[in-house]
Amino acid sequence: MHVVFNTMGRTCPTLPTLEKRVKESEKPKTPYVEVVKRLNLLFTCETDGRFTENSVDWGLDVTGWSWSSRFADLDNDQCQDVYVVNGVNIKKEWASNKFLRNIEGQHFVDQTEKAGLTSHLTAGAFSFLDIDSDGDQDIITVPFDVLPIFHLNQMDSGNSIDIEL
């Protein structure tokens, strides 16, 4: 999982210290981000424009061999959760896809089993959509060897409304 995450919804400014060090012709097309050796990376933008790698602090550093990940508020608590699909054989078994619940915007906790999302089928892609039109995000995964799998979101918490026209 390689994600750039803007904290508190603010947009990161350009990096003035980098711009001063590099000649105009040598400027990179994207802001400089220091390379960090870890399984997963989560970069947050600091107020001075620097990106800091925080995957360990947020509990996102280890999720298996991640092929795809996305943020979405799956439990309607106004905090962005993370869903990750995995696609490689680790220790003679397939790593499960992961649902990581955002706990009050402070860190993530693996709640895959509790949410009924344990799946050891290798998948390379997934999407969020409201399959059953109940106002929450459901998940469709696309495993390599079988038909797509639909996961209906049955979490009954948070702030959601149902309007019938």
Side-chain angles (χ1 to χ4, degrees), residues 4 12-19 21-22 26-36 43-45 49-52:
V4 176
C12 288
T14 59
L15 302 177
T17 56
L18 175 65
E19 291 175 2
R21 290 190 313 223
V22 181
E26 298 172 353
K27 282 187 183 177
K29 293 182 174 38
T30 58
Y32 171 77
V33 176
E34 184 178 335
V35 174
V36 180
F43 290 98
T44 56
C45 183
R50 292 180 305 110
F51 285 91
T52 305

Side-chain angles (χ1 to χ4, degrees), residues 50-64:
R50 292 180 305 110
F51 285 91
T52 305
E53 202 291 307
N54 293 301
S55 62
V56 172
D57 296 337
W58 281 84
L60 293 175
D61 54 323
V62 179
T63 58

Side-chain angles (χ1 to χ4, degrees), residues 106-126:
Q106 302 298 313
H107 64 280
F108 292 90
V109 173
D110 184 349
Q111 294 197 341
T112 308
E113 190 173 328
K114 183 177 179 181
L117 292 170
T118 302
S119 173
H120 295 280
L121 296 171
T122 58
F126 74 96

Side-chain angles (χ1 to χ4, degrees), residues 142-159:
V142 185
F144 294 125
D145 299 330
V146 297
L147 294 173
I149 298 171
F150 296 87
H151 303 280
L152 295 179
N153 186 343
Q154 300 299 321
M155 291 185 222
D156 194 25
S157 65
N159 303 311

Side-chain angles (χ1 to χ4, degrees), residues 42-86:
L42 176 74
F43 290 98
T44 56
C45 183
E46 305 300 329
T47 56
D48 64 358
R50 292 180 305 110
F51 285 91
T52 305
E53 202 291 307
N54 293 301
S55 62
V56 172
D57 296 337
W58 281 84
L60 293 175
D61 54 323
V62 179
T63 58
W65 190 279
S66 309
W67 280 59
S68 182
S69 62
R70 288 188 184 80
F71 288 90
D73 184 6
L74 295 173
D75 57 3
N76 291 325
D77 67 351
Q78 300 180 11
C79 292
Q80 299 290 302
D81 306 303
V82 178
Y83 187 71
V84 181
V85 292
N86 290 304

Side-chain angles (χ1 to χ4, degrees), residues 83-102:
Y83 187 71
V84 181
V85 292
N86 290 304
V88 73
N89 187 335
I90 299 173
K91 297 181 182 178
K92 297 184 181 180
E93 66 180 43
W94 296 104
S96 176
N97 298 331
K98 298 285 183 188
F99 165 59
L100 299 150
R101 183 168 183 232
N102 185 329

